[in-house]
Amino acid sequence: MGQTIILTGMVLSAVPVGEYDKRIMLLTKERGKISAFARGARRPGNQLMAAGSPFSFGQFEVYEGRSSYTVVKAEITNYFRELTEDFDCACYGFYFLEIADYYARENTDEIHMLKLLYQSLRALEKKTLDNRLVRRIFELKALVINGEYPNVFSCQKCGKEQELRWFHVKEGGALCALCGKQDRALHLNGSALYAMQYIVTSTIEKLYTFTVSEEVLENLEKIMDEYMAVYMDGRFHSLQILEETVAIIG
């Protein structure tokens, strides 16, 4: 026998099924990432029409069958409409959804990823924050949550905690002035190092409380680009669109 349960979560993606239905991917606090059918979600006027769209966050009443979930009702508390009305912000947002989808699993504790996703989407809506910085903060904290983040507190070779001036992707973190110079590692700006240390140790609620200079941001971007290329093998469609757009504008 199936049962009806209440889940708190966000819609990561939605695909059409049949003439009027959708299959949505939900990141939930209680059940991790689940796939659920939203019957009639493509029918005009249906109560699930808006709830079946990416970024929709709230409570979802779902029927748990033997092999699938079906959304019965939804109470959405945030649609992130301002985000979807800005192309640049929307691309970053969809990229965050894709990363969450990449990492999350069913029946695992995904409360931290859900919280990170929610706070990061809110950060994208703030005009005072550079979306490029929001992206790097999100990427690094997502790596932290999943245990794949670099060591930025001591030299990966000698263990020294001072003069961390280099970053070696394959070594998995920072190197001191001597070890890094010998290994042709990436230069690590002191402020970029501090920013990474803060992101790793900060609570999710306090992540988006700082800004950096263009020089520091560019250093952080270079390091994260190379690190992500090695430690995350997913291909993200929204990121490709975003980077192509930046290339055209630039």
Side-chain angles (χ1 to χ4, degrees):
M1 291 291 291
Q3 60 176 335
T4 299
I5 56 177
I6 305 294
L7 303 175
T8 299
M10 180 180 292
V11 178
L12 300 179
S13 62
V15 295
V17 176
E19 187 174 359
Y20 295 112
D21 304 337
K22 279 185 179 181
R23 181 174 64 84
I24 63 175
M25 192 66 69
L26 278 171
L27 180 63
T28 72
K29 182 173 66 174
E30 297 84 359
R31 297 291 178 92
K33 184 177 72 173
I34 67 168
S35 175
F37 289 100
R39 309 292 184 189
R42 297 169 62 209
R43 190 188 299 275
N46 186 281
Q47 63 170 340
L48 296 179
M49 188 174 182
S53 300
F55 302 117
S56 295
F57 176 86
Q59 287 194 323
F60 296 81
E61 184 178 335
V62 302
Y63 177 79
E64 182 183 15
R66 289 184 177 180
S67 58
S68 64
Y69 293 90
T70 300
V71 180
V72 177
K73 186 169 60 175
E75 293 184 9
I76 305 303
T77 56
N78 198 335
Y79 292 97
F80 289 97
R81 286 196 177 94
E82 290 184 16
L83 189 74
T84 58
E85 291 171 357
D86 182 296
F87 179 78
D88 186 65
C89 289
C91 284
Y92 279 106
F94 277 111
Y95 172 53
F96 295 172
L97 295 183
E98 286 189 84
I99 287 185
D101 191 17
Y102 172 84
Y103 272 126
R105 298 291 182 269
E106 186 174 353
N107 293 322
T108 56
D109 184 359
E110 301 293 350
I111 187 171
H112 296 299
M113 180 58 76
L114 180 62
K115 186 183 295 185
L116 174 63
L117 184 57
Y118 186 86
Q119 294 294 340
S120 300
L121 295 180
R122 289 187 63 191
L124 288 176
E125 293 182 322
K126 295 180 180 178
K127 303 303 181 184
T128 55
L129 289 175
D130 190 326
N131 288 345
R132 292 159 57 206
L133 177 60
V134 175
R135 169 188 170 183
R136 302 310 175 169
I137 293 173
F138 176 85
E139 288 174 338
L140 182 52
K141 199 63 173 181
L143 290 168
V144 171
I145 291 172
N146 289 278
E148 298 178 343
Y149 63 101
N151 171 27
V152 289
F153 297 95
S154 61
C155 177
Q156 285 291 84
K157 288 196 170 182
C158 70
K160 186 177 180 180
E161 295 182 358
Q162 293 77 36
E163 296 186 306
L164 301 177
R165 298 176 184 172
W166 303 91
F167 188 93
H168 200 291
V169 174
K170 291 188 178 179
E171 290 287 345
L175 298 178
C176 70
L178 181 61
C179 294
K181 193 171 183 179
Q182 294 174 337
D183 219 339
R184 297 181 180 179
L186 295 171
H187 168 66
L188 178 57
N189 181 291
S191 295
L193 171 65
Y194 178 78
M196 294 179 76
Q197 291 175 337
Y198 179 81
I199 295 165
V200 169
T201 58
S202 173
T203 62
I204 293 173
E205 292 81 2
K206 294 183 178 180
L207 276 178
Y208 299 103
T209 56
F210 69 94
T211 59
V212 296
S213 68
E214 181 64 23
E215 178 186 2
V216 171
L217 179 55
E218 288 180 358
N219 187 226
L220 188 58
E221 287 179 321
K222 184 173 181 59
I223 289 171
M224 289 304 300
D225 279 342
E226 297 204 19
Y227 192 85
M228 296 281 285
V230 172
Y231 292 94
M232 185 178 286
D233 58 4
R235 293 185 177 183
F236 306 105
H237 180 64
S238 52
L239 180 59
Q240 182 181 350
I241 294 174
L242 179 63
E243 292 178 340
E244 289 175 354
T245 303
V246 171
I248 293 172
I249 295 175

